[in-house]
Amino acid sequence: MVNFIDVSELAGDEVSAEQVERLCHRYFWAANYCAGKDVAEAACGSGAGLGLLSSTAKSFRAGDISDPILERVRAHYGDRIALLHFDAENLPFDDASLDVVILFEALYFVPDAARFAAECQRVLRPGGVVLMAVPNPDLYDFNPAPHSTGYPNPPGFGALFTPHGFDVRCFGYLPIDAVSIRQRVLRPIKKLAVSLNLMPKTMAGKALLKRLVFGNLRTLPAEITSDMISYAPPSDIPADRPDRRHKVLYCAATLF
């Protein structure tokens, strides 16, 4: 089994300001779907958004496949959040018991993504929604994470979820033409490094690369708060074709 703590950024790690912004944005987006609902998050990772979601949901549970990661999240939240050990292919929830399932920045680690989609169909009530966020794999300088199994683009989300009775809606966040000049200048260099398999694999190596690309780094918070960014909704994008204008893809798959 993969030891995801070795490839995960956790509270206290050095990250770019953009990463903090992306973290906040996806959970602010999710909160709009969760008010008064029964919600679960799979592969919760560092758990930074759990407090925000639990404060708006009717009920909220979360979990991860990594016990070392869960121990760190429990150390922060204590008894505030019900945290469980489970994987996304085997959701420990009753049939038709949830309104929202969340899987952020983790679908590409799931060995059988179609099985996750089938599990979502099982545990969601009619009208329930699966919320997902992934890096955009169709950008020319895309760099897959170690241990990843595959990254969906908008048509890929449809291929996964439509056969299980879902209507798929896709969104784009963080336009590539809005990033810093420094990032735009370094994109061809990143592309070359990716093609030559020279991208760092360790967290320490990634931190050095981020400092080069983004400049000063920030500490990843254990819990985000509503004042960390100025939120604007992501942009609707076509679900039937690749998108090459945004760094991040969101998907809301609604069960008929």
Side-chain angles (χ1 to χ4, degrees):
M1 181 181 294
V2 176
N3 183 6
F4 285 102
I5 199 167
D6 291 337
V7 295
S8 301
E9 281 155 332
L10 302 174
D13 289 347
E14 286 190 318
V15 298
S16 68
E18 181 182 298
Q19 283 180 274
V20 175
E21 178 183 344
R22 288 165 63 159
L23 172 69
C24 292
H25 191 274
R26 59 182 177 258
Y27 281 105
F28 293 169
W29 174 68
N32 293 305
Y33 291 85
C34 293
K37 305 294 187 180
D38 294 314
V39 181
E41 181 175 5
C44 68
S46 70
L50 304 189
L52 176 70
L53 297 184
S54 66
S55 70
T56 189
K58 176 184 177 182
S59 69
F60 181 74
R61 290 165 288 179
D64 200 278
I65 196 172
S66 170
D67 282 322
I69 289 177
L70 282 174
E71 288 173 8
R72 294 184 61 166
V73 179
R74 288 190 181 107
H76 174 75
Y77 286 103
D79 295 331
R80 291 168 53 199
I81 308 290
L83 290 164
L84 310 170
H85 177 275
F86 65 89
D87 68 79
E89 295 179 6
N90 298 281
L91 301 177
F93 308 114
D94 293 336
D95 294 359
S97 62
L98 296 172
D99 301 301
V100 182
V101 173
I102 296 169
L103 186 69
F104 283 160
E105 297 292 340
L107 184 59
Y108 42 87
F109 289 131
V110 177
D112 188 347
R115 183 169 173 178
F116 168 68
E119 277 289 89
C120 291
Q121 180 185 25
R122 179 183 66 81
V123 303
L124 284 171
R125 302 172 179 127
V129 62
V130 189
L131 303 177
M132 295 160 283
V134 298
N136 188 347
D138 291 312
L139 298 185
Y140 85 96
D141 59 342
F142 173 71
N143 177 43
H147 312 300
S148 57
T149 57
Y151 288 77
N153 61 6
F157 281 118
L160 280 173
F161 283 89
T162 300
H164 296 281
F166 288 87
D167 176 63
V168 171
R169 186 178 177 190
C170 293
F171 306 86
Y173 169 61
L174 202 59
I176 56 175
D177 58 6
V179 302
S180 69
I181 295 175
R182 186 177 195 170
Q183 281 195 62
R184 278 178 271 175
V185 168
L186 290 173
R187 285 188 74 196
I189 299 175
K190 178 187 174 186
K191 170 62 176 175
L192 178 62
V194 171
S195 64
L196 295 176
N197 197 30
L198 297 176
M199 296 295 286
K201 302 295 190 293
T202 66
M203 300 310 293
K206 289 181 180 179
L208 287 173
L209 180 63
K210 288 171 188 171
R211 190 170 286 109
L212 171 65
V213 175
F214 297 101
N216 293 332
L217 301 183
R218 297 176 55 181
T219 299
L220 187 70
E223 183 174 353
I224 64 174
T225 57
S226 59
D227 60 350
M228 282 188 170
I229 66 166
S230 178
Y231 175 78
S235 301
D236 277 284
I237 58 174
D240 62 350
R241 69 192 71 133
D243 172 272
R244 294 182 175 85
R245 297 184 297 112
H246 300 90
K247 295 185 73 172
V248 182
L249 302 178
Y250 292 168
C251 177
T254 304
L255 185 64
F256 288 120

